[in-house]
Amino acid sequence: AQTVTQSQPEMSVQEAETVTLSCTYDTSESDYYLFWYKQPPSRQMILVIRQEAYKQQNATENRFSVNFQKAAKSFSLKISDSQLGDAAMYFCAYRSPLTGNQFYFGTGTSLTVIP
Amino acid sequence: DVKVTQSSRYLVKRTGEKVFLECVQDMDHENMFWYRQDPGLGLRLIYFSYDVKMKEKGDIPEGYSVSREKKERFSLILESASTNQTSMYLCASSLPRGPLAFGQGTRLTVV
């Protein structure tokens, strides 16, 4: 099974600064999908950003962007101009279209935003 | 927007009870999933379903079963609740190559 590793259990960032959350994954597949999800204290998991492996261009959604390095199997999330509302758990996820379309999640990074 | 609705946000049940967690999605998604979330362990897949009446075991199916009689509804059943099943349960749905859309979660406490 594919594994997804988030090596930073906790991170903190000053409001308005930039922070990068890391994610690596292990796979032998060439076609797959990657996602970052945010889970605020309200518990609702929200999709932040997605990346298709066949696309070389890094995905961007407003203040959120990714650094996707396929060869290194790395998928980091950069949050620019951090806001208090960005405080949450962030989960990296891998979706395999080959192994039953399952999702594989990392264990999460808890992000604190300091006013 | 896709809406995934779980029947309860909080639930308290007694050991040995049969527990039903209901999940409904309104976007005609083929795939539905049940996850369990525990601190430090991330999300663990219990069961998933590709289509009506189809089900597949995930990583931790023991003590659980599921039912998908209609496309929009995916139920998780705890046959005989135990204290080690106290957890957060998340339902999600998706199209075959799309992202997951999650419900709001059910925090189940078994006493």
Side-chain angles (χ1 to χ4, degrees):
Chain A
Q2 281 71 13
T3 56
V4 178
T5 302
Q6 294 179 248
S7 58
Q8 308 151 314
E10 296 178 349
M11 292 278 287
S12 62
V13 62
Q14 206 76 30
E15 195 175 4
E17 297 294 311
T18 296
V19 64
T20 299
L21 309 183
S22 65
C23 173
T24 59
Y25 54 94
D26 184 23
T27 186
S28 58
E29 298 171 340
S30 59
D31 180 25
Y32 51 87
Y33 304 87
L34 296 164
F35 307 91
W36 277 99
Y37 284 90
K38 169 185 177 181
Q39 188 179 38
S42 65
R43 300 201 312 247
Q44 182 82 40
M45 291 274 273
I46 304 163
L47 177 67
V48 175
I49 201 165
R50 63 188 291 183
Q51 175 83 42
E52 290 85 356
Y54 65 86
K55 290 186 178 178
Q56 293 187 341
Q57 186 171 6
N58 290 325
T60 299
E61 288 286 342
N62 300 314
R63 297 183 295 106
F64 298 88
S65 61
V66 298
N67 183 5
F68 172 49
Q69 299 184 9
K70 192 172 183 179
K73 299 176 184 175
S74 172
F75 182 60
S76 60
L77 175 69
K78 185 171 85 171
I79 306 174
S80 304
D81 185 26
S82 297
Q83 301 175 0
L84 295 178
D86 295 334
M89 280 290 286
Y90 287 82
F91 291 93
C92 177
Y94 171 105
R95 184 170 203 182
S96 166
L98 297 179
T99 56
N101 256 318
Q102 289 191 50
F103 287 79
Y104 300 90
F105 286 85
T107 51
T109 296
S110 177
L111 179 66
T112 299
V113 180
I114 303 164
Chain B
D1 283 350
V2 176
K3 190 167 184 181
V4 181
T5 303
Q6 295 182 228
S7 52
S8 304
R9 282 183 68 86
Y10 300 95
L11 211 52
V12 180
K13 295 292 181 181
R14 295 194 179 278
T15 302
E17 277 193 78
K18 190 169 187 177
V19 181
F20 294 85
L21 302 183
E22 306 287 347
C23 176
V24 177
Q25 51 96 1
D26 66 358
M27 283 301 290
D28 204 35
H29 283 176
E30 289 89 346
N31 301 339
M32 295 191 75
F33 303 79
W34 275 106
Y35 290 91
R36 172 175 170 161
Q37 184 179 18
D38 299 288
L41 298 178
L43 277 72
R44 294 181 291 168
L45 181 64
I46 305 172
Y47 268 96
F48 60 104
S49 169
Y50 293 134
D51 206 342
V52 178
K53 297 193 185 294
M54 294 182 66
K55 58 185 178 183
E56 298 284 343
K57 293 180 180 179
D59 300 319
I60 52 165
E62 296 77 20
Y64 304 94
S65 62
V66 290
S67 172
R68 193 165 181 203
E69 296 296 319
K70 293 185 178 182
K71 192 174 186 178
E72 68 270 19
R73 186 180 297 270
F74 192 37
S75 303
L76 179 69
I77 304 155
L78 285 65
E79 298 291 344
S80 177
S82 63
T83 54
N84 62 13
Q85 292 179 309
T86 291
S87 186
M88 172 73 73
Y89 291 88
L90 297 175
C91 175
S93 71
S94 78
L95 292 170
R97 288 179 177 245
L100 285 171
F102 284 88
Q104 77 275 31
T106 296
R107 183 169 296 282
L108 172 68
T109 302
V110 182
V111 298

